[in-house]
Amino acid sequence: MSAPFKLRGPLGWPRRELFAMPPGIYLDGNSLGVMPLSAHQAVLRRLGEWQTQAVSGWDEWFGLAETLSPALGKLMGAAPREVIATGSITANLHALLATLYRPQGERRHLLATALDFPTDVYAMQSWARLHGAELRLIPSRDGQTIHEDDLRLALGPDIALVLLPTVLYRSGQRFDIARLSAVVHQQGALVGWDAAHSIGAMPHDLHASGADFAVWCSYKYLNAGPGAPGGLFLHQRHHHLAPALSGWWGNEKETQFEMTTQFRPAPGAAAYQQGTPPVLALAALEGALEIFEDLDLHALRARSLQLTDTLIELADLHLPEMRVLTPRDHARRGGHVSLLHPEARALSAALRARGIIPDYRSPDILRLAPVALYNTEDELRETVRVLRGLLDSGSHREVDVSGAVS
């Protein structure tokens, strides 16, 4: 990695000088983070290597994913050999389920929540069908959050593997990884985590928590760019297992170019790489991770909670028509705030037309993500002021929402 951007001490939020900030107020970092200047530079550097070295550039790129593992390990609370930058959430989930999901006798069914991101459900359904098993979904009592008691009730001797989100993508509810991993293990099942909405926004301790595996993307709070490579964690107690879905990039580096028909898995999580990695996309992740090298993740989390506290207080005071769905308890809150309103889609489009970028989730949720690294309290006050004006005037109903993606 190149020389990182140095952050000035434990305070001094936000760090907007490290980013190419778009115009207006950007509150959609839980969907796509803004571009770090270090990511831009890293991509240009790798493009220059391609331009000047062509195929010889592989001397630099061959172990690029592995060089990112220490930084990812810091973010996820894992040893470098337990993590790897590769694939996508869906691809990595399939690869890990192929290896770890081993239904036997009565213990054969899968468990997730009814509020999981759809791709997780689709992947779990695929493996349930392949094995003639069921994917059971933990119901929500309020349609927005999951009660931990309902997880305990859903567990039993017929559950083989559980997948949970670290943070629910719609409401922003955060789960206790260590406590719930212990609950699942006490019932004899394996547990994995989708950390898409927590990596880069808060500290993790996946190894000590006992989680069996985890997957994530890197284009939200990690700011590695649209479609950036994801990542996976595999606890070291499972490293004796060879990947069920093997590919040549998961071969040990020392023998990869012997080109034999004998797969020799790389140590740890690196064995779960499959095809040749997208070097330019990895370069953006390489640069984005530089921002986190000298960053105190606990200070980052404290700043995130400060911002979401402010936003919730402002919503309570000025937007009584919009119900706050996100838990108020810090221990149960992720990095974004979800507001419920029947006209959320029109409000989202009207905000965008006024230079404020939120996120909308069908049918009635407006998500606002005040990211610790680059958002400010003044931006939150202005956003709430504009929302109040829209609700008072009704002018959001005049905005065309037909072409809106989110």
Side-chain angles (χ1 to χ4, degrees):
M1 300 174 71
S2 64
F5 284 76
K6 295 296 183 181
L7 302 180
R8 299 189 298 275
L11 301 176
W13 306 99
R15 313 294 170 84
R16 293 168 74 94
E17 73 276 7
L18 302 180
F19 296 89
M21 295 299 300
I25 297 174
Y26 192 80
L27 293 171
D28 202 8
N30 60 329
S31 184
L32 178 67
V34 301
M35 179 191 292
L37 299 177
S38 53
H40 185 263
Q41 291 182 2
V43 172
L44 290 178
R45 184 172 66 253
R46 298 303 180 186
L47 278 171
E49 291 168 353
W50 178 25
Q51 178 183 10
T52 59
Q53 301 176 37
V55 73
S56 297
W58 278 109
D59 293 341
E60 291 287 331
W61 311 327
F62 185 52
L64 178 56
E66 285 81 359
T67 68
L68 306 182
S69 290
L72 289 173
K74 173 191 172 184
L75 288 168
M76 301 312 291
R81 282 195 174 188
E82 293 180 310
V83 296
I84 193 69
T86 188
S88 64
I89 283 180
T90 310
N92 292 338
L93 186 52
H94 277 301
L96 289 163
L97 288 173
T99 304
L100 298 174
Y101 174 45
R102 289 287 182 263
Q104 295 181 356
E106 179 189 18
R107 191 176 292 280
R108 60 186 305 99
H109 301 303
L110 296 159
L111 185 64
T113 88
L115 301 179
D116 281 9
F117 194 81
T119 199
D120 293 352
V121 176
Y122 302 159
M124 298 278 276
Q125 287 172 337
S126 298
W127 289 95
R129 285 195 300 269
L130 283 170
H131 289 280
E134 298 175 2
L135 170 61
R136 297 176 184 168
L137 299 179
I138 304 165
S140 169
R141 301 183 185 186
D142 59 8
Q144 309 296 344
T145 60
I146 297 294
H147 200 289
E148 291 184 5
D149 287 346
D150 293 332
L151 167 63
R152 293 180 174 87
L153 290 172
L155 286 167
D158 58 350
I159 298 297
L161 185 144
V162 180
L163 179 69
L164 297 169
T166 55
V167 174
L168 284 174
Y169 79 100
R170 288 175 62 84
S171 66
Q173 178 189 3
R174 180 190 181 194
F175 292 101
D176 188 318
I177 297 175
R179 183 170 69 243
L180 295 182
S181 292
V183 168
V184 174
H185 287 156
Q186 287 167 5
Q187 294 297 318
L190 298 178
V191 60
W193 294 88
D194 180 340
H197 281 83
S198 60
I199 185 171
M202 61 190 69
H204 297 73
D205 198 2
L206 289 180
H207 178 89
S209 74
D212 293 292
F213 67 95
V215 294
W216 58 83
C217 61
S218 56
Y219 46 79
K220 301 181 189 296
Y221 297 102
L222 281 189
N223 312 300
L232 64 86
F233 159 85
L234 182 67
H235 198 284
Q236 67 180 19
R237 63 174 169 271
H238 299 300
H239 287 186
H240 65 284
L241 300 172
L245 302 179
S246 54
W248 88 301
W249 215 261
N251 199 89
E252 64 180 9
K253 285 291 182 279
E254 294 78 9
T255 62
Q256 185 171 334
F257 276 89
E258 291 180 6
M259 302 296 193
T260 70
T261 56
Q262 178 65 41
F263 177 68
R264 300 171 183 171
Y272 287 77
Q273 299 173 95
Q274 295 178 354
T276 305
V279 170
L280 298 180
L282 272 177
L285 175 58
E286 174 188 25
L289 287 172
E290 292 180 8
I291 287 177
F292 294 89
E293 283 191 0
D294 297 325
L295 190 63
D296 182 338
L297 296 177
H298 293 282
L300 178 79
R301 172 63 171 166
R303 172 62 178 167
S304 173
L305 289 170
Q306 183 181 48
L307 287 170
T308 52
D309 278 342
T310 297
L311 182 53
I312 290 172
E313 290 168 6
L314 288 169
D316 286 343
L317 183 61
H318 299 290
L319 305 172
E321 308 96 320
M322 304 189 78
R323 181 160 66 89
V324 176
L325 301 178
T326 307
R328 295 165 189 269
D329 180 2
H330 285 184
R332 298 180 62 241
R333 188 195 310 165
H336 69 269
V337 174
S338 294
L339 303 176
L340 183 73
H341 192 275
E343 296 175 320
R345 186 179 186 189
L347 288 167
S348 174
L351 285 173
R352 289 183 178 229
R354 288 159 176 78
I356 300 172
I357 310 301
D359 184 58
Y360 161 74
R361 284 295 174 261
S362 179
D364 51 12
I365 294 178
L366 187 73
R367 298 193 310 176
L368 302 172
V371 175
L373 287 166
Y374 50 78
N375 285 124
T376 69
E377 285 87 352
D378 284 345
E379 290 179 321
L380 301 182
R381 295 186 188 99
E382 176 64 10
T383 298
V384 171
R385 186 192 70 79
V386 173
L387 271 172
R388 181 67 266 159
L390 290 170
L391 290 165
D392 287 341
S393 68
S395 57
H396 57 286
R397 302 187 186 102
E398 303 169 3
V399 179
D400 180 12
V401 298
S402 59
V405 176
S406 63

